[in-house]
Amino acid sequence: MTQAPTDRPPSGCASLGTSRDRHEASGSESQRVALIVLDQFSMIAFTSTIEPVRIANRVLGRDFYDWKTYSVDGEPVTSSNGCTLSVDGSIADLNDADITLICSGVDVERVVLPKELGTQLRKLNARGRTYGAVCTGAYVLARYNLLAGRRCTIHWENIRSFREEFPDIDVSADLFAIDRNCITCAGGMAALDMMLRVIAIQHGAYLAHEVAEVALYQNMRSGESAQRHDLESRTGISNVKILDAIRIMDLHIEDPLSCQQLAMTVNLSPRQLERLFRRHFDCTPGQYYLKLRLETARDLLRRTNRAVLDVAIACGFASTSHFTKCYRERYSCTPTEERQSYFWAPAPRKPPVRATVTQLATS
């Protein structure tokens, strides 16, 4: 059973403004929260970050949290769902804030990151302010070298490519991570869990519970909770041998095992393992394994700028020619064509605006 946020903050969270005394909180100064939204940001992550502090103000009966939104140039920003957000200013207007969060979303690798944004974030960090990211924003912090020596998290779709591009950064598959004055979450509803934890650190678990109740959110999750459903739920298969085989495949993408080795690890004969895979997936274990490796390769081609040969080796292919042959058979294009059509292509035009999201402070 997942534990709810407790009154005691985790190690290294003093910079979040832990309640000096619980009874003193009612008279303390407000917390300034700055959200920097980037093109194609995740709307669910954005609203899940703001709504908990809005509700906290309502429950407290005063404006303890004050938030503003910023874009790179002060212009409205389009989210991944096509809605446009009007912001309060540009990053040049962000002089100070107690908590500053980067909110990004899909295709974060293709977003042009100005030098000024990194400069502002470093200034805030130097002042001891809390900074961080929601959804894929950890990628932005990594690009600015603001995650060195910090533990962080990012959306599970980006974890493998993130590790390939930033091998020295400690990234986890947790819902959210709090490391001293750096806070990150995986996006989606994880932003709600992270902000509830921040509220619990600053005001106590009682307020976090009240906020969760108002939001009709019953199960507050700890940061260490897994992002994804278990493999059985994702595949709809309960056969332990198959599930173990798939887990082992995923652990050995770079150094793939033979069918015989795979069968031995799950205590089956190669023939028995093949029968199980044909029954449940209508393919051989080798074909399923190849599919996993090619999916990983496609993700790396789209999200990183690593050379095609490096991607091939990272996915267990001994040569570029073999990798290209297998890739073309599955995706009807070569790895190079995939890279040129996706990662290096000009950023897509913003979709037609379907709605305008005004500043949520007026809600």
Side-chain angles (χ1 to χ4, degrees):
M1 184 174 179
T2 307
Q3 292 184 345
T6 59
D7 289 347
R8 184 161 49 119
S11 176
C13 288
S15 58
L16 277 174
T18 57
S19 52
R20 297 173 179 84
D21 288 304
R22 192 61 39 76
H23 57 274
E24 184 183 317
S26 61
S28 60
E29 296 180 357
S30 65
Q31 284 274 299
R32 297 158 298 175
V33 180
L35 286 99
I36 302 172
V37 290
L38 301 181
D39 191 40
Q40 297 297 294
F41 71 94
S42 166
M43 183 62 76
I44 188 173
F46 174 80
T47 54
S48 295
T49 301
I50 286 185
E51 284 300 284
V53 295
R54 179 190 68 82
I55 296 172
N57 283 350
R58 175 184 164 193
V59 174
L60 288 169
R62 63 189 183 85
D63 292 337
F64 179 82
Y65 294 102
D66 174 49
W67 58 93
K68 289 186 178 181
T69 55
Y70 301 87
S71 65
V72 170
D73 55 6
E75 294 298 315
V77 184
T78 302
S79 68
S80 58
N81 67 7
C83 294
T84 295
L85 175 73
S86 298
V87 298
D88 294 301
S90 71
I91 54 176
D93 301 316
L94 175 55
N95 296 317
D96 199 4
D98 297 292
I99 301 174
T100 301
L101 299 173
I102 300 290
C103 185
S104 54
V106 298
D107 297 341
V108 65
E109 303 85 0
R110 304 172 69 190
V111 175
V112 177
L113 300 178
K115 180 181 179 181
E116 293 75 17
L117 176 55
T119 300
Q120 289 285 53
L121 292 172
R122 291 189 190 94
K123 285 181 180 178
L124 292 168
N125 181 35
R127 294 173 186 164
R129 304 293 190 256
T130 296
Y131 68 94
V134 298
C135 197
T136 59
Y139 180 89
V140 177
L141 297 180
R143 286 278 300 275
Y144 288 127
N145 197 31
L146 283 165
L147 291 177
R150 309 280 180 161
R151 184 171 177 273
C152 70
T153 189
I154 196 170
H155 193 277
W156 64 265
E157 290 181 322
N158 300 76
I159 287 179
R160 196 185 297 271
S161 59
F162 186 93
R163 285 174 175 159
E164 289 287 341
E165 188 158 354
F166 307 103
D168 296 329
I169 294 178
D170 182 10
V171 60
S172 74
D174 295 345
L175 277 184
F176 63 87
I178 300 178
D179 188 344
R180 289 160 287 177
N181 66 325
C182 181
I183 61 176
T184 54
C185 79
M189 297 303 295
L192 176 56
D193 292 290
M194 182 179 76
M195 295 310 293
L196 287 172
R197 183 68 178 123
V198 169
I199 291 168
I201 290 170
Q202 295 181 329
H203 296 278
Y206 78 97
L207 182 59
H209 279 287
E210 287 193 53
V211 171
E213 284 195 328
V214 173
L216 304 182
Y217 192 62
Q218 296 182 351
N219 298 313
M220 289 186 288
R221 299 172 294 177
S222 67
E224 296 77 18
S225 300
Q227 294 184 31
R228 306 187 69 185
H229 295 293
D230 58 48
L231 190 57
E232 180 177 350
S233 300
R234 301 202 312 263
T235 61
I237 293 172
S238 57
N239 187 290
V240 176
K241 299 293 185 182
I242 289 185
L243 296 177
D244 285 346
I246 295 174
R247 291 189 189 98
I248 293 167
M249 289 177 183
D250 195 55
L251 291 172
H252 291 271
I253 295 294
E254 186 171 354
D255 55 335
L257 306 179
S258 67
C259 186
Q260 185 173 0
Q261 290 173 316
L262 194 60
M264 288 176 61
T265 60
V266 294
N267 297 316
L268 291 175
S269 70
R271 186 179 294 275
Q272 289 174 318
L273 186 63
E274 182 169 338
R275 278 203 297 265
L276 285 174
F277 268 80
R278 287 194 179 278
R279 182 189 309 162
H280 292 281
F281 297 111
D282 195 27
C283 68
T284 67
Q287 290 169 334
Y288 189 92
Y289 206 167
L290 178 60
K291 178 178 77 73
L292 290 182
R293 290 162 56 204
L294 289 172
E295 287 174 350
T296 300
R298 192 182 203 190
D299 182 66
L300 293 177
L301 288 168
R302 289 181 167 188
R303 299 183 190 276
T304 74
N305 60 357
R306 295 187 64 181
V308 172
L309 177 59
D310 290 342
V311 172
I313 293 173
C315 298
F317 295 92
S319 68
T320 305
S321 58
H322 182 220
F323 174 47
T324 299
K325 176 179 177 295
C326 295
Y327 200 94
R328 182 189 287 115
E329 288 176 353
R330 178 160 187 83
Y331 296 117
S332 301
C333 68
T334 67
T336 301
E337 290 168 345
E338 181 80 64
R339 166 68 57 75
Q340 291 173 341
S341 66
Y342 187 85
F343 191 84
W344 296 110
R349 292 182 178 179
K350 295 180 180 180
V353 177
R354 302 187 188 94
T356 299
V357 181
T358 55
Q359 182 63 6
L360 292 176
T362 58
S363 320

